[in-house]
Amino acid sequence: MTADQPPPPHSAQHAPVVIIGAGPVGVTAALLLARRGVRSVVLERHRDVYPLPRAVATDDEVCRILQAAGVEKEFAAISRPAKGLRLLDAQHRVMAEFRRSRHGHHGYPQTSMFDQPELEVLLRDALVRRPECELRGGVEVTGVGPDPAGPVRVTYRDDDGEHHLWAQAVLGCDGANSLTRDAIGAVWEDLRFEEHWTVVDVRTNADVRCWEGVDQVCAPDRPATFMRVGEDRYRWEFRLRDGDEPVRELVAPWLPPSYDGDFEVVRKTQYTFRARVADRWSGGRVFLLGDAAHLTPPFIGQGLCSGLRDAYNLTWKLARVLQQGANERMLETYESERKPHARHVIRLAVAMGWAMTGGQDGAAALRRNLLAAACRIPGLTELAGRDLSPSLTAGPLVRRRARRGLAGTHCPQPWVRADGRPTRLDEVLGDDFTVLTATDPWPSLTALAHGLGVRAIPVADLRDDGTLAAWLHAGRADAVLLRPDRVVMDVVPAGRRDFTDTAAWASLLHTTRSPHPSPRKSLLRSTTR
């Protein structure tokens, strides 16, 4: 068989999904696919987990994604809740606090601190336990391109030479310098933020001055970020000046005076913080996720979170197309839903960056004064703290008929007792669509749910603490259709009896198409390095 010939079905060179990159986004995507019975091969340049810390914060929505991946208990053991975010002036006086709850909308602390190498270890341990997943480390992907027979061909090298894999879909989780992004011809859209910072991770038993949250020092001459990561682990980030200042001098304002005890610098490195979004996120059945699709400054702790949201949004749709013959158009909603959210998060991070640095022009002092004044407006800090995950806009998988409402939002996740013991809502709902009703389902709704192959569940049967009933009442809804990622797809408003666009659902969810993308997908080009 030549490289240009398709492999025989189910051969060692064929995989339903190939994932390029075994960082947290790539491995989480593999675990989410495995939960739905989709086999994947993960290709990774390195053989072991990168040992130094990078991402350190996550939110409750991402904890819910880790729950879907099957690692929520392990993650809880290595993470610690954080109080939120404070903005400090140059003298470290508090200008504003953005408090975060220990029990958020998704059932987890709104902010949790963790060590990325520990997260990657537990994700890889989970990967080993899944027979649907195969990790091939120590390989270099050299090409991603179309094949005459339809599947996507991935070329990689290892110690034994060059190999080819044919896949029905390829997920590019290969970072900011993504080869996959080049393969689909995507380019960066620059959102005009670029600064050079020093990141310092320290281990010490000193009585470090902190509030168990994140501090952002808003000072044009020395903006900084500080947070406690673990029991004896801390991180500082400083915008670079000319020259290299000693770490002890940089962190002195947070340490006891004249402290000379244990102080281990785990890592000190320089980063260029950028704000960018890829102009396209897919070409045929090749998709970009995480840093391959978007780059954000770290000021609101959403870099890794955005990548895991990508994985959750795409994998259930891909599984439905590959396994249940859903319409190929479902995959087009990945970019249309995720790209606006990623752009929103990046703009929030850029705004926070400008609040911290104030810029270097003559209006910098004025902007800082306006920031301090705005932070004193009642309710503003609470509103800003809730704005990291806005509703999805209307589209094929979100039927929004009003500007405000439940459609496009996430269903809350309380503890329920539907099976006689306390468990989280998502474990009861399973991995498919679900209709939740405020009352017992009426006959037409029951028939509709049966026709769509989903369950209709009264919230009273779930025996929660009243959260779901209150949520439906506040949204003026008698019933909602939940997607597998717990986003509300459609709503039956109070006083009505049925959803309004079931024909569109059926065509999207159940229309069978070719198992391979059509030849029209010419955006994809073969790349070799």
Side-chain angles (χ1 to χ4, degrees):
M1 184 181 69
T2 69
D4 291 329
Q5 293 176 323
H10 310 298
S11 74
Q13 291 79 33
H14 182 271
V17 179
V18 170
I19 300 173
I20 304 175
V25 176
V27 176
T28 299
L31 293 172
L32 292 170
L33 288 170
R35 177 163 176 163
R36 290 173 167 82
V38 178
R39 189 167 57 89
S40 65
V41 174
V42 185
L43 303 177
E44 168 58 39
R45 177 187 300 268
H46 303 289
R47 296 188 182 277
D48 299 314
V49 167
Y50 185 74
L52 297 179
R54 287 165 290 168
V56 292
T58 190
D59 60 28
D60 55 325
E61 182 183 344
V62 170
C63 289
R64 192 175 190 174
I65 295 171
L66 294 175
Q67 174 189 337
V71 297
E72 77 281 4
K73 293 180 181 178
E74 293 87 343
F75 182 72
I78 67 166
S79 62
R80 56 189 298 131
K83 290 183 178 179
L85 170 70
R86 297 192 308 185
L87 301 183
L88 311 180
D89 65 15
Q91 287 73 45
H92 291 205
R93 295 172 299 196
V94 177
M95 294 192 297
E97 287 187 6
F98 301 86
R99 288 273 178 173
R100 308 297 277 169
S101 170
R102 293 180 67 94
H103 187 82
H105 183 80
H106 297 275
Y108 293 93
Q110 286 185 299
T111 300
S112 295
M113 312 304 295
F114 67 97
D115 182 39
Q116 182 170 334
E118 292 183 338
L119 171 62
E120 294 198 38
V121 167
L122 70 87
L123 286 171
R124 291 214 188 174
D125 287 346
L127 197 72
V128 171
R129 297 192 295 268
R130 299 300 310 224
E132 305 89 345
C133 305
E134 179 187 353
L135 173 61
R136 300 183 187 177
V139 308
E140 179 186 3
V141 176
T142 57
V144 179
D147 188 277
V152 182
R153 183 174 60 197
V154 178
T155 305
Y156 69 93
R157 286 195 299 260
D158 61 14
D159 294 341
D160 297 323
E162 187 171 85
H163 308 271
H164 302 284
L165 270 173
W166 281 263
Q168 295 180 51
V170 173
L171 309 189
C173 307
D174 46 349
N177 298 316
S178 170
L179 176 143
T180 314
R181 189 176 60 250
D182 293 341
I184 66 171
V187 296
W188 285 126
E189 175 190 351
D190 193 343
L191 300 184
R192 299 186 179 183
F193 184 93
E194 182 171 316
E195 289 191 347
H196 305 287
W197 284 61
T198 294
V199 178
V200 180
D201 287 276
V202 167
R203 179 175 285 111
T204 180
N205 289 318
D207 186 17
V208 178
R209 182 165 56 87
C210 66
W211 79 302
E212 297 298 339
V214 179
D215 281 342
Q216 307 276 26
V217 180
C218 304
D221 58 333
R222 174 58 81 197
T225 302
F226 165 69
M227 66 206 75
R228 184 176 185 175
V229 178
E231 190 64 31
D232 61 349
R233 281 278 317 286
Y234 303 87
R235 169 170 291 184
W236 285 268
E237 299 169 357
F238 302 93
R239 193 175 66 183
L240 287 176
R241 289 174 171 171
D242 294 335
D244 188 25
E245 298 178 63
V247 170
R248 291 294 289 266
E249 293 184 13
L250 290 172
V251 306
W254 287 270
L255 295 177
S258 304
Y259 178 76
D260 61 357
D262 67 303
F263 190 87
E264 176 191 355
V265 177
V266 177
R267 182 189 67 153
K268 179 185 178 185
T269 190
Q270 296 182 1
Y271 279 107
T272 299
F273 295 160
R274 295 186 173 94
R276 294 178 176 178
V277 177
D279 66 336
R280 68 171 66 102
W281 289 25
S282 65
R285 289 266 191 91
V286 179
F287 303 91
L288 304 180
L289 294 81
D291 286 353
H294 42 75
L295 296 174
T296 180
F299 304 123
I300 57 174
Q302 287 291 302
L304 178 60
C305 295
S306 293
L308 295 183
R309 287 187 176 98
D310 296 343
Y312 200 32
N313 184 284
L314 176 61
T315 50
W316 72 264
K317 299 171 183 177
L318 184 58
R320 197 168 186 96
V321 170
L322 295 180
Q323 292 189 310
Q324 301 179 40
N327 196 301
E328 191 89 12
R329 289 188 300 112
M330 180 178 287
L331 300 179
E332 297 173 4
T333 67
Y334 165 60
E335 179 175 343
S336 64
E337 290 184 349
R338 284 295 307 136
K339 190 174 183 179
H341 180 272
R343 188 187 300 274
H344 169 82
V345 166
I346 292 170
R347 284 175 172 165
L348 284 178
V350 169
M352 182 65 73
W354 279 109
M356 292 172 62
T357 65
Q360 303 303 312
D361 58 21
L366 175 61
R367 283 197 294 272
R368 287 193 298 279
N369 290 335
L370 290 175
L371 170 68
C375 289
R376 292 193 291 270
I377 298 175
L380 181 64
T381 56
E382 290 81 2
L383 179 63
R386 293 197 303 267
D387 201 31
L388 293 180
S389 189
S391 303
L392 295 182
T393 56
L397 292 172
V398 175
R399 304 292 177 181
R400 296 187 69 180
R401 289 177 292 273
R403 184 175 180 182
R404 294 180 181 273
L406 297 182
T409 67
H410 283 88
C411 173
Q413 184 180 210
W415 288 88
V416 300
R417 298 186 64 91
D419 57 356
R421 59 181 178 82
T423 187
R424 296 186 186 274
L425 174 67
D426 289 358
E427 300 306 319
V428 174
L429 299 185
D431 295 328
D432 211 335
F433 289 80
T434 305
V435 175
L436 284 184
T437 63
T439 61
D440 288 338
W442 47 98
S444 61
L445 187 66
T446 301
L448 171 64
H450 178 75
L452 292 174
V454 302
R455 293 184 298 164
I457 304 175
V459 295
D461 289 357
L462 295 170
R463 299 174 59 193
D464 71 324
D465 59 1
T467 296
L468 294 171
W471 174 68
L472 290 173
H473 178 75
R476 299 179 180 179
D478 280 347
V480 294
L481 176 64
L482 298 181
R483 308 184 334 180
D485 58 359
R486 313 315 177 199
V487 170
V488 177
M489 181 170 172
D490 203 353
V491 175
V492 176
R496 297 188 185 179
R497 290 287 85 182
D498 290 303
F499 299 102
T500 59
D501 205 2
T502 56
W505 302 346
S507 67
L508 196 64
L509 302 181
H510 298 298
T511 299
T512 302
R513 296 188 62 180
S514 168
H516 301 310
S518 65
R520 70 178 175 83
K521 305 294 187 178
S522 58
L523 290 176
L524 187 65
R525 64 172 185 266
S526 179
T527 60
T528 303
R529 292 182 177 179

